[in-house]
Amino acid sequence: MCFWLGLENMRDKVSGAQRWVVKIGSALLTADGKGLDRGAMAVWVEQMVALRAQGVELVLVSSGAVAAGMSRLGWTARPSAIHELQAAAAIGQMGLVQAWESSFGEHGRRTAQILLTHDDLSDRKRYLNARSTLRTLVELDVVPVINENDTVVTDGIRFGDNDTLAALVANLVEADLLVILTDRDGMFDADPRNNPDAQLIHEARADDPALDAVAGGVGGALGRGGMQTKLRAARLAARSGAHTVIVGGAIEQVLARLKAGELLGTLLVPERGMLAARKQWLAGHLQTRGTLVLDDGAVKALVSDRKSLLPVGVKAVQGSFRRGEMVVCVAPDGREVARGLVNYSALEAQKIIGRPSDEIERLLGYVDEPELVHRDNLILVQ
């Protein structure tokens, strides 16, 4: 099988990415179950701090809570009972977040802990709240440290692995790049443990069906992931146009070398760029909840100037919708010009339409966004 794409500029896209989600697996963080490897964590933190100094925005997805808890409890096999997993996570999470905070603090960097469940990202309102929190933290130059909320999850709401969680976070924050640090050097065209002739797959399309045959089985005793979950994560990330690198976390200065454009690990690329992928998703979002009637100035701003929709340009609100739902934008003559995800509910929109954005806080008592519909969440239909 040949996966090499021969796309010379793909590594440039990795080194030029400005928003990274970095996911680090349990086996790496706990030295295969021996407890948190603070030395390794310090090395990754040093590289992440250097990336931040180069202008890269960072979100860290950290496994290791259950594995760290297992180590503290003296367990050698991952339990299957949900209450035992929750107990191990509760014990391990304390040490995990303290270790990250301490390591980043040595470089004068602030961190924030965020624990997520599947419900948080499937409920539209909680999804938007999580996105707003993460975007605010990044803007405040704080490194969010994200983990699945293993202390409260049940079988129905588990992500199942932190690779999937990392991909969903990449979608959530609209990251350019997802870096999955693992105990393998990347994806191979055969199992390198059994086949000495196995070759590293340097680049491939994330949606290439041939990758399924070489993704292998599930993960080890400490985690729930394997190369299959990493491939699935890359495909999830590709839906929003993000590139994914699957690479060995133990490789010396791995993050710094990726930033420098060095050929490391396996790069899985999306079919479409970030904006095109998002617009395609919006175009396929068929269910609409309401209508915004625009004035001529707003129509021009959307259609000709490709700007966001501000409350001042809206004349009327029709229908009942919640924040984050899809609405239709129509011209004064009723002609549909765009569709988009609205930042305020119908009741809130009624209070702010026709008014400048700097009056939103006075009219509502708070402000989520200055736009009624942001241009990144809007697609023209003309």
Side-chain angles (χ1 to χ4, degrees):
M1 300 179 188
C2 180
F3 296 97
W4 178 254
L5 297 177
L7 302 178
E8 295 180 359
N9 67 334
M10 283 303 173
R11 289 294 157 170
D12 293 335
K13 290 188 176 181
V14 171
S15 63
Q18 290 302 298
R19 182 171 293 171
W20 294 27
V21 172
V22 177
K23 184 265 179 180
I24 307 179
S26 297
L28 288 173
L29 281 165
T30 61
D32 285 322
K34 299 185 178 108
L36 290 175
D37 189 339
R38 290 177 177 263
M41 293 172 75
V43 171
W44 292 316
V45 166
E46 184 178 13
Q47 295 173 69
M48 285 187 277
V49 168
L51 288 174
R52 188 67 197 94
Q54 297 176 68
V56 174
E57 297 175 341
L58 283 167
V59 176
L60 174 61
V61 176
S62 174
S63 297
V66 173
M70 287 168 53
S71 175
R72 291 186 175 193
L73 290 166
W75 296 351
T76 57
R78 183 184 178 90
S80 57
I82 190 69
H83 63 276
E84 291 180 338
L85 282 169
Q86 291 170 330
I91 293 168
Q93 188 66 33
M94 293 289 292
L96 180 65
V97 72
Q98 288 172 359
W100 283 123
E101 182 181 35
S102 174
S103 193
F104 275 103
E106 291 180 4
H107 298 273
R109 290 290 177 180
R110 294 169 297 176
T111 56
Q113 177 184 228
I114 296 182
L115 299 176
L116 295 172
T117 67
H118 199 286
D119 268 4
D120 295 319
L121 300 186
S122 60
D123 179 87
R124 188 64 193 166
K125 185 175 181 179
R126 286 157 69 178
Y127 171 93
L128 290 169
N129 289 338
R131 185 178 69 170
S132 296
T133 299
L134 283 169
R135 288 172 62 179
T136 301
L137 288 170
V138 170
E139 290 170 2
L140 292 171
D141 200 15
V142 175
V143 179
V145 180
I146 300 175
N147 197 355
E148 184 175 2
N149 196 354
D150 285 310
T151 60
V152 299
V153 293
T154 64
D155 285 328
I157 61 173
R158 284 192 301 181
F159 288 108
D161 61 85
N162 273 349
D163 297 321
T164 301
L165 172 58
L168 293 172
V169 169
N171 297 152
L172 186 70
V173 301
E174 298 175 17
D176 306 291
L177 181 67
L178 169 62
V179 178
I180 300 177
L181 297 185
T182 181
D183 54 359
R184 304 271 190 95
D185 287 342
M187 289 190 70
F188 289 79
D189 60 5
D191 190 338
R193 295 170 298 185
N194 305 324
N195 187 341
D197 296 324
Q199 297 293 311
L200 181 67
I201 300 169
H202 293 287
E203 295 180 7
R205 295 286 185 191
D207 59 356
D208 189 340
L211 291 171
D212 294 290
V214 299
V218 297
L222 294 173
R224 284 169 278 177
M227 203 53 70
Q228 286 181 332
T229 69
K230 291 166 179 54
L231 175 59
R232 184 167 65 245
R235 287 170 173 168
L236 281 172
R239 291 182 183 177
S240 59
H243 292 67
T244 297
V245 175
I246 302 170
V247 65
I251 295 174
E252 185 177 358
Q253 292 295 304
V254 58
L255 297 176
R257 290 163 69 181
L258 285 173
K259 175 61 178 172
E262 192 168 338
L263 192 71
L264 296 174
T266 300
L267 173 64
L268 299 177
V269 303
E271 182 181 357
R272 296 174 177 83
M274 181 176 296
L275 188 58
R278 186 162 183 79
K279 296 293 188 181
Q280 183 193 37
W281 177 81
L282 287 171
H285 199 109
L286 299 179
Q287 192 171 40
T288 60
R289 299 294 187 182
T291 300
L292 302 177
V293 181
L294 315 186
D295 62 23
D296 290 327
V299 172
K300 179 181 180 299
L302 265 59
V303 176
S304 301
D305 302 333
R306 298 297 195 268
K307 292 184 177 180
S308 300
L309 176 62
L310 302 179
V312 69
V314 180
K315 299 169 61 178
V317 176
Q318 300 171 357
S320 176
F321 50 83
R322 297 179 301 167
R323 179 179 179 228
E325 293 188 320
M326 181 71 74
V327 295
V328 176
C329 301
V330 301
D333 60 5
R335 172 176 43 92
E336 182 177 346
V337 295
R339 295 185 178 198
L341 303 180
V342 68
N343 286 329
Y344 294 90
S345 70
L347 290 176
E348 293 166 330
Q350 290 278 10
K351 297 177 182 178
I352 63 175
I353 59 172
R355 309 306 294 257
S357 297
D358 58 11
E359 293 188 18
I360 293 177
E361 185 170 8
R362 180 180 65 81
L363 294 168
L364 297 182
Y366 58 90
V367 56
D368 281 328
E369 305 286 350
E371 309 90 5
L372 200 51
V373 180
H374 192 278
R375 63 183 179 183
D376 290 346
N377 294 327
L378 183 144
I379 184 169
L380 299 176
V381 297
Q382 287 187 324

